[in-house]
Amino acid sequence: MKSFITYLKSLFTHKDVFLNIFVCIIWGNMLLGYTRGIINHLPLLNDYTDEVVVAIVVVPLILSLPLLMNKFTVLDYTFFLFLLVIYLTNYAIHPENTEYLNKNFFNCLCIATPMYFWGRIIDIDKYYSIFTLISIMCIAISAFYFAHYAQTAKNMAEVANDDNMYAAYQVLPHVILLLWNSLKKFNIFYIVFTIIGIMFLLSCGTRGPLACVAFFGIVYFIFFMNFRFAILIKGLLLSIGGILFLFLHEIVSHLAFLFTGLNLSTRILDKFITGELGNDSGRGSIKNALYYILDNSDSSMGLGYFGSQRFGYVYPHDLILDFQLSYGYILGNVILFCIVCLCIFAFHQSKTKQEKCMFLMMLTLTIIKLLLSGTFLTEMFFYAFLGYCCKILLENREIRIEYE
């Protein structure tokens, strides 16, 4: 406890205190939604809820700007400017998308794209512990909030918006970080919150976040659990998993009964019981329709940013198709190839296990997630992942230059 208090003092009493606060606010950004609820019940401030929430983010950012300005290179600013220009160019190349470009302007250019800089400054060794604490808070508050409303709401679908996909993906980074903690070192506290987080994802009724958690857990289990007695721990986990598998149908049925009593979504559990868990929920037909539209498009530059929305499809549920729709087959595939190369080089240049695990977590939150749902254009962690990869490459380049 003393060492953790000392750690907190080093974070929030140092000269970069405002930068650290800002970094933590971004990691725990989902808490801003709950903060709104608190502010709404405070006298005087409840008339300025939006302004207070904005100030919580903007004030630390402004106060940390002098320190931030020295952390980036000309390459960083050039890349960010390039992203802005590409977005604005879409107005000229694809004027038919103007309505959707305007609609997503703020989310894309003011929230998602600047996350590149957040990824560029993330030092996982420095922020690992505080991120873990924030993640515990996110999981605990989310579970309490939805459990409370499930008990009191007349129509949980109105509160949770049916499958709760948004809430599930909001809490996903925190569940994965707690899973990382649990697999890194046996700690019953972290394990309990990991289980609570997974149960929360399960109760949200959407498969994508659970698939992401499974991907991270399996890859970490196979390639990164190599500490002392790791073989024994792996054997124990596999044994527990085997026992659970034998009684999986009974466990799922019991959970479905429990979730029904709590007014939580049983969609995933019902699909498992009925054998429909592998059903693509119409994603295949969406992809086929969008490929047909793209193939019959007059433009070699694809449909442009948010072009699929013109045809009634929010996004294609496929990262590869998303790039092809946004840039066309040729340019889209070239950009994807460059991103793959960036990822490979960054992982290869990662020097520590902690860096590699952070890479794996960011990969899961972006590439794996976007292969299942969402669009890269408004995905915060996608740009943060690009920034993190560039951070690894640029830092190792500086080290080599100093060594030479």
Side-chain angles (χ1 to χ4, degrees), residues 342-374:
L342 174 67
C343 294
I344 293 173
F345 290 142
F347 183 78
H348 180 263
Q349 290 295 319
S350 299
K351 297 301 182 183
T352 66
K353 179 181 176 181
Q354 197 83 334
E355 274 190 347
K356 293 181 184 297
C357 290
M358 179 64 177
F359 177 93
L360 173 62
M361 184 175 75
M362 296 294 286
L363 177 76
T364 304
L365 294 175
T366 56
I367 305 301
I368 303 304
K369 176 203 168 184
L370 291 172
L371 286 171
L372 303 170
S373 184

Side-chain angles (χ1 to χ4, degrees), residues 207-208 216 237 254 271 293:
R207 293 167 293 181
F216 178 87
L237 291 176
H254 179 73
K271 283 182 174 291
I293 294 170

Side-chain angles (χ1 to χ4, degrees), residues 82-93 101 105 109 305:
F82 176 74
L83 294 176
L84 297 182
V85 171
I86 291 296
Y87 194 96
L88 297 176
T89 302
N90 267 260
Y91 281 99
I93 300 177
L101 289 168
F105 188 93
L109 296 186
Y305 285 3

Side-chain angles (χ1 to χ4, degrees), residues 92-126:
I93 300 177
H94 301 283
E96 62 276 12
N97 294 342
T98 297
E99 176 187 349
Y100 307 102
L101 289 168
N102 290 340
K103 180 182 176 181
N104 292 282
F105 188 93
F106 181 80
N107 287 336
C108 187
L109 296 186
C110 299
I111 296 180
T113 307
M115 281 290 288
Y116 168 84
F117 295 108
W118 188 83
R120 276 282 284 114
I121 62 174
I122 288 301
D123 182 348
I124 189 55
D125 291 319
K126 178 180 179 180

Side-chain angles (χ1 to χ4, degrees), residues 42-189:
L42 297 177
L44 300 179
L45 290 179
N46 57 5
D47 293 328
Y48 306 97
T49 301
D50 292 336
E51 291 80 359
V52 172
V53 172
V54 171
I56 290 173
V57 179
V58 173
V59 171
L61 172 60
I62 293 175
L63 293 176
S64 62
L65 279 179
L67 189 62
L68 276 173
M69 298 298 288
N70 296 322
K71 289 184 174 291
F72 307 120
T73 66
V74 174
L75 180 63
D76 295 318
Y77 295 117
T78 302
F79 177 68
F80 181 70
L81 181 62
F82 176 74
L83 294 176
L84 297 182
V85 171
I86 291 296
Y87 194 96
L88 297 176
T89 302
N90 267 260
Y91 281 99
I93 300 177
H94 301 283
E96 62 276 12
N97 294 342
T98 297
E99 176 187 349
Y100 307 102
L101 289 168
N102 290 340
K103 180 182 176 181
N104 292 282
F105 188 93
F106 181 80
N107 287 336
C108 187
L109 296 186
C110 299
I111 296 180
T113 307
M115 281 290 288
Y116 168 84
F117 295 108
W118 188 83
R120 276 282 284 114
I121 62 174
I122 288 301
D123 182 348
I124 189 55
D125 291 319
K126 178 180 179 180
Y127 295 114
Y128 184 77
S129 295
I130 190 64
F131 278 7
T132 299
L133 177 61
I134 293 171
S135 293
I136 290 172
M137 294 171 57
C138 290
I139 292 172
I141 293 174
S142 297
F144 172 79
Y145 176 83
F146 279 90
H148 173 70
Y149 271 83
Q151 293 289 345
T152 59
K154 293 182 180 179
N155 185 357
M156 187 56 189
E158 294 179 1
V159 177
N161 192 21
D162 294 326
D163 294 336
N164 255 325
M165 181 178 291
Y166 178 76
Y169 279 115
Q170 280 274 293
V171 82
L172 175 62
H174 309 291
V175 177
I176 290 181
L177 183 60
L178 263 295
L179 178 59
W180 178 2
N181 275 272
S182 301
L183 295 174
K184 180 181 180 182
K185 183 179 181 181
F186 180 83
N187 185 308
I188 191 63
F189 184 72

Side-chain angles (χ1 to χ4, degrees), residues 21-33:
I21 291 174
F22 176 72
V23 168
C24 291
I25 288 173
I26 297 302
W27 177 252
N29 69 86
M30 69 171 295
L31 295 176
L32 293 174

